[in-house]
Amino acid sequence: MQDLPTLITERLVLRPFALSDAADVQRLAGDRAVADTTLNIPHPYPDGAAEQWISSHVACFQRREIMTLAITLRASGELAGCISLRLNDTHNRAELGYWMGVPYWNQGYCSEAARAVIAYGFEQMALNRIFAHHLTRNPASGRVMQKAGMAYEGMLRQHAKKLERYEDLAIYGILRSEYQNQ
Ligand SMILES: CC(C)(COP(=O)(O)OP(=O)(O)OC[C@H]1O[C@@H](n2cnc3c(N)ncnc32)[C@H](O)[C@@H]1OP(=O)(O)O)[C@@H](O)C(=O)NCCC(=O)NCCS
């Protein structure tokens, strides 16, 4: 059975989460600014939730549901964020998702991580398509998708409901054939 990979880029190490990351996950993902533009992060972030989430990663990957990796800084080893591919074997595609801790925003880290995970998805997992959504009021996430080589595919109106408010989502994607031609 395949293990979660470790991917190394110029400035980052993307590696499996360890239980020892739980306090940092709670601190970083627990920031209101991170929860505000994601659909699955609770706020306030409950005690014990990070441990439970991290403990699920190996089994979820081995069931080919989701590959979740910690984004860490190569220079210091500190945890900066999270990136994932939610797999769909039927359609041979995956959905890219990510968050970065606020102190690490706007330094190009998430784009660097996204490029590495997309390369892994096409080159090692033989995917045909990788797509991602972002709230239209979160243009920074759209920039990450653009910088990772994804193309804008459209807008899903009021597709999500967050805190009693309907949110429009932009959708981006990249196909295997486009990745090969980059
Ligand atoms: C979205 C997020 C992951 C981006 O991470 P990051 O490491 O800061 O991303 P990068 O530095 O690689 O790229 C961010 C880009 O957005 C741009 N940007 C930032 N704020 C922006 C804004 N308000 N409007 C337009 N562009 C913006 C930055 O300038 C940068 O683009 P550039 O390199 O062309 O200048 C981070 O802001 C985050 O975790 N937000 C909260 C959680 C979240 O929204 N996750 C995504 C859910 S879809």
Side-chain angles (χ1 to χ4, degrees), residues 33-34 37-38 98-100 104-111 133-134 138-141 143-144 147:
V34 173
T37 49
T38 51
Y98 42 73
W99 56 261
M100 296 294 301
Y104 307 98
W105 286 10
N106 294 327
Q107 296 168 65
Y109 289 139
C110 194
S111 304
H133 296 109
H134 71 85
N138 183 20
S141 184
R143 276 298 292 152
V144 170
K147 290 195 290 175

Tab-separated table of all heavy atoms in Angstrom, residues 33-34 37-38 98-100 104-111 133-134 138-141 143-144 147, ligand 1:
chain	number	residue	atom	x	y	z
A	33	ALA	N	-9.493	34.534	10.100
A	33	ALA	CA	-9.255	34.892	8.693
A	33	ALA	C	-9.097	33.652	7.818
A	33	ALA	O	-9.376	33.705	6.621
A	33	ALA	CB	-8.003	35.770	8.592
A	34	VAL	N	-8.650	32.558	8.399
A	34	VAL	CA	-8.513	31.315	7.622
A	34	VAL	C	-9.884	30.641	7.501
A	34	VAL	O	-10.288	30.202	6.419
A	34	VAL	CB	-7.467	30.377	8.270
A	34	VAL	CG1	-7.443	29.027	7.571
A	34	VAL	CG2	-6.078	31.030	8.202
A	37	THR	N	-12.764	32.070	4.683
A	37	THR	CA	-12.872	31.810	3.239
A	37	THR	C	-12.742	30.323	2.892
A	37	THR	O	-12.521	29.968	1.747
A	37	THR	CB	-11.810	32.623	2.470
A	37	THR	OG1	-10.545	32.414	3.104
A	37	THR	CG2	-12.146	34.099	2.453
A	38	THR	N	-12.847	29.465	3.912
A	38	THR	CA	-12.854	28.019	3.653
A	38	THR	C	-14.227	27.473	4.038
A	38	THR	O	-14.940	28.083	4.843
A	38	THR	CB	-11.765	27.301	4.494
A	38	THR	OG1	-11.908	27.703	5.847
A	38	THR	CG2	-10.374	27.661	4.021
A	98	TYR	N	-6.512	24.046	-0.066
A	98	TYR	CA	-5.350	24.508	0.708
A	98	TYR	C	-5.748	25.621	1.660
A	98	TYR	O	-6.759	26.297	1.475
A	98	TYR	CB	-4.233	25.024	-0.220
A	98	TYR	CG	-4.730	25.877	-1.368
A	98	TYR	CD1	-5.180	27.170	-1.164
A	98	TYR	CD2	-4.791	25.364	-2.661
A	98	TYR	CE1	-5.663	27.939	-2.211
A	98	TYR	CE2	-5.284	26.126	-3.718
A	98	TYR	CZ	-5.714	27.413	-3.479
A	98	TYR	OH	-6.227	28.165	-4.513
A	99	TRP	N	-4.913	25.789	2.702
A	99	TRP	CA	-4.957	27.007	3.526
A	99	TRP	C	-3.541	27.278	4.021
A	99	TRP	O	-2.739	26.357	4.146
A	99	TRP	CB	-5.950	26.906	4.695
A	99	TRP	CG	-5.751	25.761	5.641
A	99	TRP	CD1	-6.432	24.573	5.646
A	99	TRP	CD2	-4.806	25.673	6.741
A	99	TRP	NE1	-5.969	23.753	6.653
A	99	TRP	CE2	-4.983	24.400	7.341
A	99	TRP	CE3	-3.854	26.526	7.269
A	99	TRP	CZ2	-4.230	23.976	8.445
A	99	TRP	CZ3	-3.088	26.112	8.364
A	99	TRP	CH2	-3.293	24.848	8.941
A	100	MET	N	-3.261	28.551	4.252
A	100	MET	CA	-1.963	28.939	4.824
A	100	MET	C	-2.232	29.713	6.113
A	100	MET	O	-3.197	30.495	6.194
A	100	MET	CB	-1.206	29.892	3.886
A	100	MET	CG	-0.801	29.325	2.544
A	100	MET	SD	0.412	27.997	2.590
A	100	MET	CE	1.794	28.780	3.392
A	104	TYR	N	2.092	33.602	6.976
A	104	TYR	CA	2.798	33.118	5.789
A	104	TYR	C	2.141	33.578	4.488
A	104	TYR	O	2.549	33.144	3.410
A	104	TYR	CB	2.864	31.575	5.839
A	104	TYR	CG	3.452	31.090	7.140
A	104	TYR	CD1	2.629	30.677	8.186
A	104	TYR	CD2	4.823	31.132	7.345
A	104	TYR	CE1	3.164	30.276	9.400
A	104	TYR	CE2	5.368	30.743	8.561
A	104	TYR	CZ	4.533	30.317	9.578
A	104	TYR	OH	5.069	29.942	10.786
A	105	TRP	N	1.146	34.414	4.568
A	105	TRP	CA	0.435	34.853	3.360
A	105	TRP	C	1.311	35.748	2.477
A	105	TRP	O	2.191	36.466	2.956
A	105	TRP	CB	-0.823	35.648	3.737
A	105	TRP	CG	-1.953	34.800	4.261
A	105	TRP	CD1	-1.926	33.477	4.602
A	105	TRP	CD2	-3.302	35.241	4.515
A	105	TRP	NE1	-3.166	33.072	5.061
A	105	TRP	CE2	-4.023	34.133	5.021
A	105	TRP	CE3	-3.974	36.464	4.385
A	105	TRP	CZ2	-5.383	34.212	5.368
A	105	TRP	CZ3	-5.314	36.543	4.739
A	105	TRP	CH2	-6.011	35.432	5.217
A	106	ASN	N	0.983	35.728	1.197
A	106	ASN	CA	1.558	36.652	0.201
A	106	ASN	C	3.074	36.577	0.062
A	106	ASN	O	3.743	37.570	-0.171
A	106	ASN	CB	1.135	38.106	0.508
A	106	ASN	CG	-0.368	38.260	0.319
A	106	ASN	OD1	-0.949	37.606	-0.549
A	106	ASN	ND2	-0.994	39.093	1.117
A	107	GLN	N	3.595	35.368	0.204
A	107	GLN	CA	5.029	35.150	-0.038
A	107	GLN	C	5.232	34.086	-1.118
A	107	GLN	O	6.331	33.551	-1.272
A	107	GLN	CB	5.710	34.733	1.264
A	107	GLN	CG	5.634	35.857	2.318
A	107	GLN	CD	6.028	35.391	3.703
A	107	GLN	OE1	7.180	35.020	3.928
A	107	GLN	NE2	5.089	35.392	4.631
A	108	GLY	N	4.131	33.756	-1.799
A	108	GLY	CA	4.234	32.782	-2.894
A	108	GLY	C	4.283	31.332	-2.443
A	108	GLY	O	4.445	30.427	-3.264
A	109	TYR	N	4.105	31.087	-1.133
A	109	TYR	CA	4.246	29.711	-0.646
A	109	TYR	C	3.139	28.798	-1.168
A	109	TYR	O	3.388	27.667	-1.582
A	109	TYR	CB	4.245	29.675	0.887
A	109	TYR	CG	5.475	30.239	1.546
A	109	TYR	CD1	5.377	31.042	2.681
A	109	TYR	CD2	6.752	29.946	1.061
A	109	TYR	CE1	6.498	31.545	3.317
A	109	TYR	CE2	7.888	30.454	1.689
A	109	TYR	CZ	7.751	31.249	2.814
A	109	TYR	OH	8.867	31.747	3.441
A	110	CYS	N	1.902	29.268	-1.135
A	110	CYS	CA	0.819	28.369	-1.535
A	110	CYS	C	0.904	28.049	-3.032
A	110	CYS	O	0.679	26.901	-3.432
A	110	CYS	CB	-0.542	28.966	-1.179
A	110	CYS	SG	-1.831	27.721	-1.293
A	111	SER	N	1.280	29.028	-3.839
A	111	SER	CA	1.422	28.765	-5.277
A	111	SER	C	2.522	27.739	-5.522
A	111	SER	O	2.387	26.851	-6.366
A	111	SER	CB	1.745	30.060	-6.025
A	111	SER	OG	0.762	31.031	-5.766
A	133	HIS	N	-12.041	25.192	-6.315
A	133	HIS	CA	-13.032	26.267	-6.171
A	133	HIS	C	-12.482	27.338	-5.240
A	133	HIS	O	-11.735	27.012	-4.328
A	133	HIS	CB	-14.281	25.770	-5.420
A	133	HIS	CG	-15.064	24.726	-6.083
A	133	HIS	ND1	-15.100	23.431	-5.622
A	133	HIS	CD2	-15.877	24.786	-7.139
A	133	HIS	CE1	-15.914	22.733	-6.384
A	133	HIS	NE2	-16.397	23.518	-7.313
A	134	HIS	N	-12.941	28.555	-5.400
A	134	HIS	CA	-12.722	29.535	-4.328
A	134	HIS	C	-13.928	30.464	-4.245
A	134	HIS	O	-14.635	30.666	-5.245
A	134	HIS	CB	-11.420	30.313	-4.529
A	134	HIS	CG	-11.424	31.293	-5.672
A	134	HIS	ND1	-11.905	32.582	-5.534
A	134	HIS	CD2	-11.017	31.184	-6.949
A	134	HIS	CE1	-11.780	33.213	-6.703
A	134	HIS	NE2	-11.247	32.391	-7.575
A	138	ASN	N	-12.689	35.919	-2.426
A	138	ASN	CA	-11.336	35.536	-1.979
A	138	ASN	C	-10.391	35.477	-3.184
A	138	ASN	O	-9.914	34.405	-3.575
A	138	ASN	CB	-11.413	34.184	-1.272
A	138	ASN	CG	-10.084	33.713	-0.698
A	138	ASN	OD1	-9.177	34.521	-0.481
A	138	ASN	ND2	-9.970	32.418	-0.455
A	139	PRO	N	-10.086	36.625	-3.796
A	139	PRO	CA	-9.300	36.599	-5.037
A	139	PRO	C	-7.887	36.068	-4.862
A	139	PRO	O	-7.293	35.583	-5.828
A	139	PRO	CB	-9.285	38.074	-5.484
A	139	PRO	CG	-9.620	38.861	-4.266
A	139	PRO	CD	-10.490	37.984	-3.413
A	140	ALA	N	-7.321	36.107	-3.640
A	140	ALA	CA	-5.958	35.584	-3.438
A	140	ALA	C	-5.913	34.101	-3.814
A	140	ALA	O	-4.941	33.620	-4.411
A	140	ALA	CB	-5.520	35.794	-1.994
A	141	SER	N	-6.972	33.379	-3.483
A	141	SER	CA	-7.000	31.953	-3.808
A	141	SER	C	-7.082	31.755	-5.327
A	141	SER	O	-6.457	30.835	-5.873
A	141	SER	CB	-8.181	31.287	-3.099
A	141	SER	OG	-8.166	29.911	-3.333
A	143	ARG	N	-5.727	33.695	-7.462
A	143	ARG	CA	-4.367	33.960	-7.966
A	143	ARG	C	-3.496	32.709	-7.817
A	143	ARG	O	-2.692	32.389	-8.683
A	143	ARG	CB	-3.699	35.118	-7.201
A	143	ARG	CG	-4.023	36.485	-7.671
A	143	ARG	CD	-3.586	36.734	-9.107
A	143	ARG	NE	-2.141	36.766	-9.273
A	143	ARG	CZ	-1.503	36.432	-10.398
A	143	ARG	NH1	-2.184	36.032	-11.453
A	143	ARG	NH2	-0.186	36.487	-10.468
A	144	VAL	N	-3.658	32.008	-6.695
A	144	VAL	CA	-2.888	30.772	-6.503
A	144	VAL	C	-3.200	29.804	-7.648
A	144	VAL	O	-2.298	29.201	-8.243
A	144	VAL	CB	-3.220	30.119	-5.138
A	144	VAL	CG1	-2.624	28.721	-5.040
A	144	VAL	CG2	-2.717	31.000	-3.997
A	147	LYS	N	-1.577	30.988	-10.824
A	147	LYS	CA	-0.113	30.838	-10.812
A	147	LYS	C	0.298	29.366	-10.854
A	147	LYS	O	1.428	29.049	-11.202
A	147	LYS	CB	0.491	31.530	-9.581
A	147	LYS	CG	0.397	33.055	-9.692
A	147	LYS	CD	1.298	33.759	-8.696
A	147	LYS	CE	0.792	33.591	-7.284
A	147	LYS	NZ	1.722	34.162	-6.295
B	1	LIG	C1	-5.613	31.786	-0.275
B	1	LIG	C2	-4.302	31.507	0.428
B	1	LIG	C3	-4.119	29.998	0.577
B	1	LIG	C4	-3.142	32.076	-0.395
B	1	LIG	O1	-1.910	31.665	0.163
B	1	LIG	P1	-0.569	32.480	-0.124
B	1	LIG	O2	0.585	31.634	0.302
B	1	LIG	O3	-0.693	33.833	0.455
B	1	LIG	O4	-0.611	32.557	-1.714
B	1	LIG	P2	0.531	33.118	-2.678
B	1	LIG	O5	1.441	34.038	-1.924
B	1	LIG	O6	1.156	31.958	-3.372
B	1	LIG	O7	-0.337	33.928	-3.749
B	1	LIG	C5	-1.288	34.893	-3.325
B	1	LIG	C6	-1.579	35.838	-4.463
B	1	LIG	O8	-2.795	36.539	-4.196
B	1	LIG	C7	-2.570	37.918	-4.289
B	1	LIG	N1	-3.518	38.574	-3.413
B	1	LIG	C8	-3.520	38.653	-2.072
B	1	LIG	N2	-4.583	39.344	-1.640
B	1	LIG	C9	-5.278	39.694	-2.739
B	1	LIG	C10	-6.474	40.420	-2.972
B	1	LIG	N3	-7.188	40.901	-1.952
B	1	LIG	N4	-6.887	40.607	-4.237
B	1	LIG	C11	-6.188	40.099	-5.276
B	1	LIG	N5	-5.043	39.392	-5.127
B	1	LIG	C12	-4.604	39.203	-3.873
B	1	LIG	C13	-1.128	38.089	-3.898
B	1	LIG	O9	-0.621	39.326	-4.338
B	1	LIG	C14	-0.508	36.899	-4.636
B	1	LIG	O10	-0.441	37.139	-6.026
B	1	LIG	P3	0.902	37.635	-6.766
B	1	LIG	O11	1.971	36.660	-6.411
B	1	LIG	O12	0.540	37.646	-8.193
B	1	LIG	O13	1.206	38.997	-6.213
B	1	LIG	C15	-4.268	32.166	1.846
B	1	LIG	O14	-4.599	33.520	1.705
B	1	LIG	C16	-5.225	31.493	2.816
B	1	LIG	O15	-4.892	30.476	3.413
B	1	LIG	N6	-6.423	32.079	2.982
B	1	LIG	C17	-7.392	31.533	3.944
B	1	LIG	C18	-7.851	30.136	3.579
B	1	LIG	C19	-8.314	30.043	2.142
B	1	LIG	O16	-8.959	30.951	1.634
B	1	LIG	N7	-8.002	28.919	1.497
B	1	LIG	C20	-8.398	28.716	0.116
B	1	LIG	C21	-9.786	28.231	0.031
B	1	LIG	S1	-10.305	28.122	-1.674
